[in-house]
Amino acid sequence: MYVFRNAFLAAFLISVLCGVVGSFVVVKRISLMSGGISHAAFGGIGLGYFLRISDPLIAAIPFSVLSAIGIGVLSRRAKMSEDISIGIFWAFGMALGILLVNMTPGYAPNLLGFLFGNILLVSPDDIIMMLTLDIFVLVLISLFYEEFLAISFDEEFAKIVGIRADFFNTLLLVIIAISIIVMIKVVGVILVIAMLIIPAAICKQFTNSMKILMISSIFASLFLTITGLWLSFIYNVPSGATIVLISSCAFFLISLIRC
Amino acid sequence: MIPVMLRDVSVCFGAERVLEDINLSIGNHEFVAIIGPNGGGKTTLLNVILGLVKTSGGIVRVFGKPPEEGRKFVGYLPQRPSFDPSFPISVYEVVLMGRYRRWSLRKYTEEDMKAVENALHTVGMIDFKEKSIGILSGGQIQRVLIARALVRSPKLLLLDEPTASIDSEMQIFLYELLRKLREKMTVVIVTHDIGVVSDYVDRIVCLNRRIHYCGPPDLSEIARTYGHPVKLIDHGAHASVK
């Protein structure tokens, strides 16, 4: 039961971010960029193993934040299309992670957990870290909600009314990077992007208000995560993959009905 | 303070000169139309005034200040809406964004909300304030974006081809609206409707990399200065000369 209590807490903590941050990812159409940031995070996890930090995710936090800033700056400054720098960061992080894990002597425990997630392995320490990062993200978003809304809706106009669009774009990427760290334990580096976009992508079809989108996506995410968790428990299959499959199917189904 | 002052301004994109030797002053409550062929630098000129494009030479002053500072007095209607029509946002919220102020703890005050209602009244869109931006027609979106520009109580209003995507009835509505607005502010419009616009504006600026004509909307005079009368009217489908 103790395991389940942590799992439910984890489901709640990631759902809050799926709803709030995922809504921005969906309306700002930066899901590919978010995918790049999540895969780059694996480089940080590899670094954590290499440095023998007891929780490699701790090392992944600064690493992901820096890669988010890197992806943001590079895609803005470089004289090439954005998807190129995203694709390169994507592979760079994975390659670095694999190399660092390989160079670390001994067995790398939980490596699969970081790649594909396991909600049942979330520890009380993980919950504390997730809660701290959740609060951090929520404070940033509520402080700068108007700015984030403006740069997501119409960047050019945001600049004209005096919003430093480059700064807030980068800050939003940093927030996404931190949200991804929170979600990695549950769904893993490879699947995390699904949870960041699916709940908001489902709910966006039913609302024309950003705030309602955020709140409804939190509930959608909570429902999908717990349903997936329950099914994975009954059939004894990996939880991260089950949650993502359930969510994807829900998205396909609802989109089909709506069109 | 004079709203717009450009002295010897030039702009290059890479090796290409887009604007050259631009000297232009626009006074208070003036209504000015900028015309010229596509690619002639009309939008770039507006972006120079807004401080969104770096000049490669010359001086730009907007109300006596550099454009980045002067643009707080400027309302702007872009040529194409640069947003996603499926964005979950209401007409009211879009216009409210025009009242954004940096570093204000209570983001929007009652005064801001009143200003939004007034702006929506002015453009005749108050009945749509709770509607989602995605269900509006091109002309309605245009009006909402004008409200978003007006809600900042600008002293200078820049409009980039506001009539390009709307029907002729809306065009008349728009020009009549601008005729009223110019009593309160300076209006600069980029347009192809030379025939219509000459009934309303004080001055026409013909722009094709350089300013080829700048003066009263006297069509024969413009045609002569421009060299080729055909060139003048051959901008696009909307252009016409009475």
Side-chain angles (χ1 to χ4, degrees):
Chain A
M1 253 19 265
Y2 166 77
V3 169
F4 277 104
R5 196 197 64 192
N6 282 346
F8 280 120
L9 279 174
F12 175 75
L13 289 173
I14 71 158
S15 293
V16 169
L17 296 187
C18 290
V20 174
V21 180
S23 294
F24 278 109
V25 172
V26 166
V27 299
K28 207 172 181 326
R29 301 178 176 186
I30 46 173
S31 51
L32 196 66
M33 199 178 259
S34 311
I37 294 172
S38 71
H39 283 74
F42 189 67
I45 293 170
L47 192 67
Y49 274 115
F50 187 70
L51 298 175
R52 310 202 161 240
I53 295 170
S54 59
D55 185 357
L57 262 190
I58 302 282
I61 296 174
F63 191 88
S64 299
V65 167
L66 286 179
S67 7
I69 295 171
I71 289 181
V73 170
L74 207 64
S75 61
R76 203 163 48 239
R77 295 271 171 80
K79 288 194 165 35
M80 54 184 149
S81 81
E82 197 176 81
D83 60 328
I84 293 176
S85 49
I86 293 172
I88 292 171
F89 258 96
W90 188 301
F92 166 78
M94 291 302 281
L96 187 70
I98 291 164
L99 216 63
L100 285 171
V101 168
N102 191 266
M103 283 160 64
T104 309
Y107 171 68
N110 297 336
L111 187 61
L112 274 184
F114 285 119
L115 284 174
F116 300 106
N118 190 342
I119 197 169
L120 294 175
L121 286 185
V122 174
S123 69
D125 282 351
D126 293 334
I127 295 287
I128 290 169
M129 183 180 92
M130 290 166 85
L131 181 66
T132 315
L133 295 179
D134 261 45
I135 291 169
F136 182 68
V137 166
L138 290 182
V139 166
L140 277 180
I141 297 243
S142 49
L143 272 180
F144 300 117
Y145 176 75
E146 309 300 337
E147 283 84 353
F148 288 132
L149 185 68
I151 58 157
S152 303
F153 177 65
D154 188 342
E155 195 171 313
E156 188 187 55
F157 187 77
K159 280 184 192 161
I160 291 170
V161 294
I163 295 173
R164 283 169 303 165
D166 289 349
F167 172 77
F168 284 105
N169 271 321
T170 308
L171 187 60
L172 189 60
L173 293 182
V174 167
I175 287 175
I176 291 168
I178 292 171
S179 311
I180 284 167
I181 295 291
V182 173
M183 295 159 73
I184 278 179
K185 275 274 158 80
V186 177
V187 277
V189 164
I190 296 174
L191 303 178
V192 79
I193 188 61
M195 287 319 290
L196 207 50
I197 57 180
I198 290 173
I202 291 174
C203 296
K204 184 166 176 272
Q205 304 177 42
F206 299 96
T207 177
N208 58 12
S209 150
M210 188 68 181
K211 281 179 180 152
I212 294 176
L213 175 63
M214 289 177 165
I215 293 165
S216 56
S217 305
I218 293 176
F219 286 107
S221 166
L222 201 57
F223 174 76
L224 294 167
T225 313
I226 288 175
T227 310
L229 172 63
W230 175 63
L231 286 175
S232 74
F233 182 70
I234 291 181
Y235 295 105
N236 193 24
V237 284
S239 59
T242 313
I243 292 169
V244 170
L245 270 183
I246 293 291
S247 306
S248 312
C249 291
F251 175 76
F252 295 142
L253 201 69
I254 288 167
S255 305
L256 267 178
I257 294 169
R258 296 279 298 175
C259 76
Chain B
M1 261 327 147
I2 176 165
V4 179
M5 205 267 319
L6 304 171
R7 186 135 305 156
D8 301 323
V9 170
S10 58
V11 172
C12 299
F13 291 156
E16 197 194 345
R17 271 182 179 271
V18 188
L19 291 175
E20 221 176 325
D21 299 328
I22 303 294
N23 284 288
L24 180 66
S25 294
I26 299 173
N28 280 312
H29 301 278
E30 234 192 313
F31 189 172
V32 176
I34 301 174
I35 61 170
N38 291 324
K42 304 187 293 298
T43 299
T44 307
L45 185 64
L46 292 192
N47 282 330
V48 165
I49 298 171
L50 285 163
L52 294 176
V53 165
K54 273 218 157 62
T55 57
S56 22
I59 303 168
V60 182
R61 286 289 175 272
V62 178
F63 294 99
K65 297 191 173 82
E68 292 82 6
E69 292 172 42
R71 72 181 168 208
K72 61 171 167 269
F73 305 113
V74 182
Y76 171 57
L77 179 76
Q79 186 172 9
R80 273 173 225 93
S82 49
F83 55 79
D84 166 15
S86 75
F87 199 98
I89 194 167
S90 70
V91 165
Y92 184 85
E93 289 173 295
V94 171
V95 179
L96 191 60
M97 266 181 205
R99 297 291 293 190
Y100 173 84
R101 274 181 307 268
R102 210 189 285 182
W103 304 126
S104 61
L105 205 55
R106 252 186 81 210
K107 290 286 168 159
Y108 296 116
T109 61
E110 233 157 77
E111 197 190 329
D112 294 328
M113 293 167 194
K114 214 172 270 169
V116 172
E117 304 246 331
N118 283 341
L120 282 172
H121 260 299
T122 309
V123 300
M125 287 296 287
I126 190 74
D127 294 337
F128 291 82
K129 72 172 184 175
E130 300 301 335
K131 293 275 188 298
S132 158
I133 192 89
I135 64 157
L136 304 184
S137 70
Q140 289 170 327
I141 286 183
Q142 207 71 304
R143 285 198 269 170
V144 170
L145 296 187
I146 292 174
R148 182 178 72 170
L150 291 178
V151 79
R152 315 183 64 211
S153 319
K155 293 183 189 157
L156 167 65
L157 184 62
L158 305 176
L159 305 103
D160 197 352
E161 295 194 24
T163 54
S165 61
I166 59 181
D167 57 40
S168 51
E169 198 180 324
M170 259 302 294
Q171 277 187 30
I172 301 298
F173 173 86
L174 187 80
Y175 282 119
E176 287 300 326
L177 177 64
L178 295 179
R179 197 208 287 274
K180 266 182 265 162
L181 288 175
R182 62 160 305 176
E183 288 163 18
K184 288 185 240 164
M185 63 193 78
T186 305
V187 178
V188 177
I189 180 173
V190 166
T191 184
H192 283 311
D193 325 316
I194 311 159
V196 189
V197 89
S198 54
D199 292 343
Y200 292 89
V201 297
D202 308 316
R203 232 184 339 153
I204 283 191
V205 176
C206 295
L207 184 70
N208 188 8
R209 203 158 53 108
R210 297 160 174 273
I211 292 179
H212 288 265
Y213 174 87
C214 178
D218 176 346
L219 292 181
S220 57
E221 181 64 25
I222 295 169
R224 198 168 341 131
T225 321
Y226 215 72
H228 241 285
V230 188
K231 250 192 197 164
L232 173 68
I233 55 176
D234 191 28
H235 304 304
H238 298 284
S240 62
V241 170
K242 282 194 278 188

